Amino acid sequence: MGGRASQPRPSGKHSRFPAIALVFLTMSQANPPDLAQLRPSVTILVTSCDWFYDVWVPFFYFFKQHWPDNPFAVRLITNRFRLDEGDVRELPVGEDKGWGGNLMAALGQINTDYVLYVQEDQFFTRPVDTAEFCNDLRYCRAHGTDYLAYRASPEDEPGFKPVNDRFGVIAADSPHRVKADPALWKRTTLLQMLRVDDSPWHFLNTGSERCRELQFLRYRRQTLSTVDYLAGSAIRRDLWRKEGLAMMQAHGLKPSPSYRGTHIKMKSLLSQLRRALTRRRFRA
């Protein structure tokens, strides 16, 4: 996979998603014996919108490379674009309502108890052990856990209480209880916490006040985390980060179509111009 590929088109019909039909690797282990009971309880929900459709190919490339034996349903939030790629299905929400509005509309169309939340620019960086993910899911179901974050907590975070050798409870008064990073969410909890006008940054800054009494967990060390991904994501302020481009280049991938500019760290007029030009190219 690499180079240019045909792209999804706005259509009332399903159009085949470009270049994500990968050869699945041989499964390294047998499926958990209770997989039939676990499968209906979780949906892998990839948050996105049509504005980020250039990121879908690399996201699913790394997803399938690092989780080839994923047995769970995968849904991608879209607006007008349609796709049907085997286990990856679109979840259309209509006109773009922003991050919070799109996510709320999508969650209203899902009936599983849990969702694995992940954004389209959070590229997976190492293999996901299906058995360990099932262990996470079993624990959350058994204990009524509202949220299990895959971004690790510092061992010395005040008030953090380990519950086992892998993860622990986030302190109720922590200013960083919740993030828009990959996490196993109770679907109803996430839906109740969201606001229509939320952005990922607003949710990060205000979400902790909405969940003080809920059971929120986080992994103790990133090396133990079941799901690992590109820290800081591949996109920042609508522009490609050099870390995301480097990860793609190492695997022979190129942004396609190439309408998105490259992020620069300094806040300047040049950065604003790059974002404006990116928007204009996307509309074209």
Side-chain angles (χ1 to χ4, degrees):
M1 177 176 166
R4 297 189 61 82
S6 60
Q7 296 296 326
R9 297 169 293 179
S11 171
K13 299 180 179 179
H14 283 62
S15 55
R16 189 167 182 79
F17 190 64
I20 65 169
L22 306 179
V23 176
F24 278 74
L25 302 178
T26 301
M27 293 175 62
S28 59
Q29 58 191 15
N31 285 329
D34 59 345
L35 183 60
Q37 288 74 43
L38 293 174
R39 187 181 284 121
S41 65
V42 65
T43 299
I44 298 173
L45 182 61
V46 184
T47 62
S48 190
C49 61
D50 292 355
W51 156 236
F52 288 98
Y53 86 107
D54 58 323
V55 191
W56 297 349
V57 168
F59 173 84
F60 284 109
Y61 174 89
F62 292 115
F63 178 89
K64 290 194 172 186
Q65 181 189 55
H66 292 302
W67 202 355
D69 62 344
N70 164 53
F72 303 103
V74 182
R75 304 298 300 274
L76 170 71
I77 299 177
T78 68
N79 302 120
R80 294 179 298 124
F81 287 176
R82 300 291 183 264
L83 65 93
D84 183 355
E85 181 62 29
D87 59 334
V88 179
R89 300 292 300 276
E90 91 284 349
L91 203 167
V93 296
E95 292 303 312
D96 190 9
K97 307 171 184 63
W99 179 82
N102 287 346
L103 185 51
M104 291 176 69
L107 290 168
Q109 299 181 53
I110 294 174
N111 57 14
T112 55
D113 293 337
Y114 284 88
V115 294
L116 172 60
Y117 170 96
V118 60
Q119 291 180 184
E120 82 288 280
D121 61 344
Q122 294 166 339
F123 298 164
F124 286 20
T125 55
R126 59 177 167 81
V128 176
D129 187 319
T130 299
E132 288 296 350
F133 180 78
C134 288
N135 288 337
D136 294 343
L137 183 57
R138 287 191 203 95
Y139 183 95
C140 290
R141 294 178 67 197
H143 295 83
T145 300
D146 292 287
Y147 168 87
L148 172 58
Y150 287 111
R151 177 54 57 186
S153 171
E155 288 281 8
D156 58 351
E157 181 183 65
F160 182 79
K161 298 179 180 179
V163 297
N164 57 34
D165 60 349
R166 298 178 66 80
F167 47 77
V169 178
I170 307 170
D173 60 351
S174 171
H176 306 296
R177 292 205 90 206
V178 65
K179 298 180 180 180
D181 284 338
L184 193 55
W185 277 93
K186 183 182 289 186
R187 183 185 62 85
T188 54
T189 297
L190 178 56
L191 185 58
Q192 291 168 4
M193 282 187 57
L194 286 167
R195 307 289 183 268
V196 173
D197 59 349
D198 272 335
S199 69
W201 304 276
H202 185 256
F203 190 67
L204 168 66
N205 292 326
T206 65
S208 294
E209 295 299 329
R210 309 174 196 176
C211 59
R212 296 300 183 193
E213 305 303 318
L214 302 178
Q215 187 182 55
F216 273 39
L217 310 180
R218 188 178 297 155
Y219 262 80
R220 298 176 62 177
R221 293 189 296 276
Q222 199 60 37
T223 55
L224 297 175
S225 183
T226 305
V227 178
D228 202 11
Y229 52 97
L230 181 63
S233 74
I235 303 285
R236 179 172 295 166
R237 296 183 63 81
D238 298 336
L239 302 173
W240 284 109
R241 293 179 65 228
K242 64 180 182 179
E243 292 85 352
L245 291 173
M247 187 173 172
M248 292 168 59
Q249 184 178 13
H251 290 263
L253 303 175
K254 296 180 180 180
S256 180
S258 56
Y259 60 83
R260 194 176 303 277
T262 305
H263 181 263
I264 52 178
K265 291 185 177 181
M266 64 183 70
K267 293 182 179 179
S268 66
L269 179 60
L270 178 58
S271 179
Q272 297 177 26
L273 290 174
R274 287 187 178 186
R275 296 179 66 197
L277 180 58
T278 294
R279 288 283 182 179
R280 180 177 297 179
R281 287 172 174 171
F282 171 74
R283 287 193 294 268

